[in-house]
Amino acid sequence: MGILNVTPDSFADGGQHDAADTAVARIAAVAAQGAAICDIGAESTRPGAAPVGADEELRRLEPVLAAMRGGGIDVPISIDTRHAATAAAALDAGAVLVNDVSAGADPAMLPLVADQGAAVCLMHMRGEPQTMQDDPRYDDVVGEVVAFLEARLAAAVAAGVPEDAVLLDPGIGFGKSLHHNVALLAALPRIAAIGCPVVVGASRKGVIGQITGREVVDRLPGSLGAALASVAGGAQVVRVHDVAATVDALAVFQAIRTGDVQ
Ligand code: HH2
């Protein structure tokens, strides 16, 4: 899953793709580099970010939605939003997946996904982006995240979303310390055992910086380590900024793991 943030303030690519031409070019590049899906977000959810309403999200997304409606985009699109109104507009323009970092907190979100026959990624977050990194605490981070994801999966199914249309994500960096993030990355088999495809987004995040001592722009090697470890642990989707490098790393990893080389 390649990332496109049409935001002025995302932590890794803020301000790079918020003009119409650069956003559409980024989608084409993500596809050409081998991503199976392009995840488009219009609200930064980095620690400390102020919330963005659906109106502003839709204003930022409009050029991309217009390109989607015009048929100029040939990679499956995921819409990264907490707002059902934004998800509805993106699904209407052809998106196939709603990536909701609040796991369906908007009461209209899960019924919308069910009605539209879309898929949904439900992510664990503790608190709100603005304050989530203020001393997050858990008694048992893995157990609490697993229980939350199971409960949100049940809520999605109750709303009419088929279980096989749900993906689950432990939410790396969303209200978690370094130790919490590492514990969750090490516990992916437990999350995968819930039975849904697992998504992991660790690309260029603070956990990579804390382990390697690198600034955001120098976190590609560390991010590749996290992507490979995630897939080894059972993740089916890795959400990344550096698509070409990740595709190559995964190709080598999978060839060795399966012995399938032509
Ligand atoms: N992380 C971010 C945003 N959306 N969605 C899922 N499912 N999993 C994640 O880990 C995840 C996510 C934050 O990363 P990014 O979009 O690069 O930055 P920002 O929130 O600053 O736009």
Side-chain angles (χ1 to χ4, degrees):
M1 174 186 276
I3 301 169
L4 166 61
N5 287 308
V6 286
T7 59
D9 59 341
S10 288
F11 81 95
D13 61 348
Q16 284 178 31
H17 307 114
D18 55 347
D21 52 345
T22 53
V24 175
R26 168 71 182 163
I27 298 173
V30 160
Q33 291 170 20
I37 191 157
C38 182
D39 185 47
I40 305 176
E43 176 192 32
S44 174
T45 46
R46 74 184 191 288
V52 170
D55 288 351
E56 175 62 12
E57 275 190 328
L58 287 167
R59 193 191 64 74
R60 294 177 180 180
L61 286 165
E62 184 43 40
V64 169
L65 299 184
M68 289 167 65
R69 287 192 290 264
I73 289 178
D74 56 6
V75 63
I77 297 295
S78 158
I79 179 71
D80 183 347
T81 185
R82 305 191 269 174
H83 302 295
T86 305
L91 293 173
D92 194 50
V96 296
L97 171 66
V98 178
N99 175 25
D100 184 354
V101 301
S102 73
D106 180 337
M109 184 67 93
L110 295 174
L112 170 79
V113 169
D115 283 354
Q116 296 296 308
V120 67
C121 177
L122 303 172
M123 196 198 78
H124 176 273
M125 169 165 59
R126 168 66 60 83
E128 283 289 312
Q130 213 153 15
T131 52
M132 67 190 177
Q133 289 308 111
D134 298 348
D135 193 25
R137 285 169 192 256
Y138 300 81
D139 291 328
D140 165 15
V141 66
V142 173
E144 289 172 50
V145 168
V146 166
F148 173 87
L149 293 175
E150 286 175 339
R152 297 315 296 159
L153 169 61
V157 170
V161 181
E163 189 162 332
D164 64 4
V166 179
L167 299 88
L168 300 175
D169 185 331
I172 299 302
F174 284 85
K176 284 135 192 144
S177 69
L178 170 63
H179 290 97
H180 298 142
N181 288 318
V182 169
L184 287 166
L185 288 166
L188 293 177
R190 270 185 70 187
I191 298 170
I194 298 172
C196 296
V198 173
V199 179
V200 174
S203 179
R204 301 191 195 173
K205 282 187 178 169
V207 59
I208 307 295
Q210 287 163 320
I211 293 171
T212 62
R214 305 285 181 194
E215 296 300 323
V216 171
V217 291
D218 293 321
R219 292 180 187 166
L220 171 58
S223 300
L224 294 175
L228 298 181
S230 297
V231 173
Q236 291 196 15
V237 180
V238 282
R239 183 182 179 277
V240 302
H241 301 89
D242 302 284
V243 175
T246 307
V247 167
D248 280 4
L250 287 173
V252 173
F253 176 85
Q254 295 288 30
I256 295 167
R257 193 157 76 157
T258 62
D260 185 8
V261 277
Q262 283 102 28

